[in-house]
Amino acid sequence: MIIDPPLARSPAAPDTRPIGVFDSGVGGLTVLRALAARFPHESFLYLGDTARVPYGTKSARTVERYTIQVASVLEAHEVKALVVACNTASALGLAALRAHTALPALGVIQPGCRAALSATRSGRIGVIGTRTTIASGAYRHSLFLMQPKVTVADAPCPLFVPLAEEGWTDHPASHLIIEESLAPLKQHDIDALILGCTHYPVLKQAIGKVMGPEIALVDSAHAVADDLADLMPEVVRPTFEDAQQQLRYLVTDEADRFTEVARRFLHGFPIERAEMVDL
């Protein structure tokens, strides 16, 4: 009896479509920067909802609606995956987004929690973010699901966003604001601190000076890149190995201001001028 050999499984064709990344404004560019560095042959389409920034002061229902609207614009531009590079939208809109779209959709909260649990030695973790993100309890909930014995202390730091956007990374006033904002956390003897807003990595050095060298500062951007790598190539098919990376930027308002601030957040990655889109 002759048995035919099993058919060889042909590799999936490369997918040259860009990966969509979005935030309420410029903060998500810190995530884009990490993704672009990790995947130098992938192209990315970034959308900042600058007409309705900040999301951190909006209700859960509003953030959910905004998240789906922004993602729909990226889907219309034929992206192959979505990265919600906004802590507030990840906390309040990601579940609704996943129910709305067939595309793979990643947030920043669970990757940040996993990174913090890897960084902590004592199990005492701090979280800082916008008022809405902290009030949502999303980080607490995710951390407790992953490690029920963890201790979590959190604090809203709403003034960090304007400091980051103005480039006041080493200003005496910034040090005072950061010190005052973080004072409650220093009473909890934490050894890892999640930077629960994508603006905050811009202030990482200043935050580190206040918290001290023994505190691990957790930026979820690199953990998000790890999650995206885990989805390749079975869920998110990569492009050609020698493809030239393209970065494109969309905004809903204030293109000039966005471009000015973006150059500080991108640290050398190219941006000429963002394009305006309507939602």
Side-chain angles (χ1 to χ4, degrees):
M1 181 175 63
I2 299 175
I3 300 176
D4 293 331
L7 294 175
R9 185 177 178 181
S10 59
D15 190 341
T16 59
R17 293 178 297 168
I19 295 168
V21 182
F22 70 89
D23 182 32
S24 59
V26 297
L29 293 172
T30 59
V31 177
L32 174 65
R33 186 180 69 215
L35 294 173
R38 178 73 175 271
F39 306 102
H41 301 297
E42 293 290 341
S43 292
F44 295 88
L45 177 61
Y46 182 92
L47 197 161
D49 190 9
T50 48
R52 303 186 296 195
V53 67
Y55 284 8
T57 59
K58 307 295 193 298
S59 70
R61 185 175 180 179
T62 296
V63 171
E64 185 177 288
R65 184 174 76 253
Y66 287 1
T67 299
I68 292 173
Q69 289 175 344
V70 172
S72 296
V73 172
L74 290 174
E75 287 188 271
H77 282 79
E78 298 186 345
V79 298
K80 61 184 177 183
L82 293 164
V83 177
V84 185
C86 171
N87 282 268
T88 303
S90 293
L92 303 177
L94 183 59
L97 174 60
R98 285 174 170 164
H100 171 81
T101 182
L103 291 177
L106 299 175
V108 294
I109 289 178
Q110 289 189 343
C113 290
R114 285 195 295 272
L117 289 169
S118 295
T120 184
R121 302 176 305 279
S122 66
R124 293 186 293 274
I125 296 173
V127 183
I128 54 176
T130 64
R131 294 192 187 279
T132 301
T133 297
I134 297 301
S136 75
Y139 274 102
R140 282 180 172 269
H141 180 69
S142 292
L143 285 167
F144 289 141
L145 283 178
M146 295 177 189
Q147 175 50 265
K149 294 183 179 180
V150 74
T151 299
V152 181
D154 52 28
C157 298
L159 295 179
F160 287 12
V161 169
L163 293 178
E165 292 196 2
E166 292 301 325
W168 285 24
T169 57
D170 196 30
H171 194 283
S174 299
H175 181 84
L176 292 174
I177 291 170
I178 292 170
E179 190 171 41
E180 182 71 19
S181 300
L182 298 178
L185 292 179
K186 299 189 77 172
Q187 302 173 11
H188 290 276
D189 196 26
I190 62 173
D191 67 355
L193 177 62
I194 298 175
L195 307 181
C197 172
T198 50
H199 280 76
Y200 296 178
V202 177
L203 301 169
K204 191 172 184 177
Q205 186 174 359
I207 293 170
K209 285 182 180 179
V210 171
M211 294 303 297
E214 68 280 3
I215 308 300
L217 301 183
V218 178
D219 173 2
S220 62
H222 298 289
V224 173
D226 290 341
D227 276 15
L228 183 57
D230 289 342
L231 295 179
M232 291 181 172
E234 285 80 8
V235 179
V236 179
R237 296 202 318 275
T239 187
F240 294 98
E241 292 183 359
D242 58 350
Q244 183 175 357
Q245 185 177 79
Q246 295 183 1
L247 303 178
R248 185 180 170 198
Y249 308 89
L250 308 176
V251 293
T252 55
D253 194 20
E254 290 286 351
D256 290 337
R257 171 63 176 166
F258 175 90
T259 304
E260 174 192 346
V261 177
R263 292 195 175 102
R264 291 198 291 270
F265 279 58
L266 288 169
H267 290 185
F269 280 97
I271 177 169
E272 295 301 323
R273 192 174 188 278
E275 306 167 43
M276 288 280 295
V277 295
D278 292 322
L279 296 179

